[in-house]
Amino acid sequence: MISELLLITLLLAAILLVPMFSRKIHIPSIVGYIAVGIILGSSVGGVVKDSSFLSTIGQLGMLYIMFQAGIEIDMNDFRPHRFHSIIFGCLSFALPFVLGLITSRLLGFGWDTSLLLGAMYGSHTLMTYPIVSRYGVQKIPAVNIVVGGTILAITLSLLVLALIESHQYPAGNGIGMLTKVFILFVIVWGIFPKLAQWFFKRWQEESAQFVLVMAMLLFSAWLADWAGLEGILGAFLCGVALNGRVPNRSTLMGRINFIGNTLFVPIFLIGVGLLIDVHT
């Protein structure tokens, strides 16, 4: 196991060099980061055997992607297409889910396992959203439809996961969970926008504004976990709540995108590569 300082140095070197190398061979840098994680992982290079440090930092990357999608989506463009987004989200979840459920049952798995595998197939991700953001096409209606549909598909997958968990561990309190979800929405959608507006008017220092937004993001993710949901949903809700408070072309938005795309998202992708066992 290498020291954490050397590990951080390797990560920064990968973050610097992977985009350059990827451009030369014409592949997305996302693929390059995952490849670096595979090479550093225990199944190939064995450089990183305990990835708990990377998983903690990488989790911020996934939260960042969801937060970016929520804060950058143009609500005025999204509202006319919300019906299309719902249809896309339902179909993009239901078709893989049903196929996964049927094939898993044919392979002899139990109902809980089959439902879990179906939910895994039905879930998709906004992992490539930073590319969309970098090219500035996030306002295109098709992108808004896909972002909304993806959030719906993720939510449906997490609901299936919650049902399986309640079946395996029936001690949960449904009323208590609903109360926590209500508290989550009150804080994130009721309090955070007003707090941000008040703070931004009184403190013009950009670093302070950035720290406040990061604190809201992390607290929203924790609230979602506490409510029995997932942190990524809390991050997206926080982004939507702050959507009208952080202008797309502001310095604060530029700082949010820069820190996320430069540091947290690449580390998250490298962490994904570390999880891959090549031999398996």
Side-chain angles (χ1 to χ4, degrees), residues 206-241:
E206 294 167 358
S207 58
Q209 294 178 355
F210 177 78
V211 171
L212 176 67
V213 171
M214 290 300 96
M216 289 179 174
L217 165 61
L218 295 176
F219 189 62
S220 299
W222 177 83
L223 279 174
D225 282 330
W226 171 72
L229 302 174
E230 286 289 332
I232 54 176
L233 288 180
F236 179 77
L237 290 174
C238 182
V240 174

Side-chain angles (χ1 to χ4, degrees), residues 1 4 48-58:
M1 177 64 183
E4 291 187 351
V48 181
K49 295 182 180 179
D50 179 15
S51 58
S52 57
F53 168 74
L54 282 183
S55 63
T56 301
I57 302 297

Side-chain angles (χ1 to χ4, degrees), residues 80-107:
H81 303 287
R82 60 184 179 273
F83 179 74
H84 301 87
S85 188
I86 293 171
I87 295 297
F88 173 77
C90 290
L91 288 176
S92 62
F93 169 79
L95 293 177
F97 174 76
V98 171
L99 288 173
L101 179 62
I102 293 173
T103 53
S104 299
R105 289 294 294 163
L106 290 175
L107 289 171

Side-chain angles (χ1 to χ4, degrees), residues 21 31 43 51 57-58 71 80 85 109 132 136 144 158-159 169 171 185 198 204-205 207 220 226 235 267 272 277:
F21 182 73
V31 178
S43 65
S51 58
I57 302 297
I71 202 170
S85 188
F109 291 113
V132 174
N144 283 330
L158 293 175
L159 287 175
Y169 309 100
F185 276 90
W198 174 83
Q204 302 298 322
E205 188 178 348
S207 58
S220 299
W226 171 72
I267 292 178
V272 171
D277 190 329

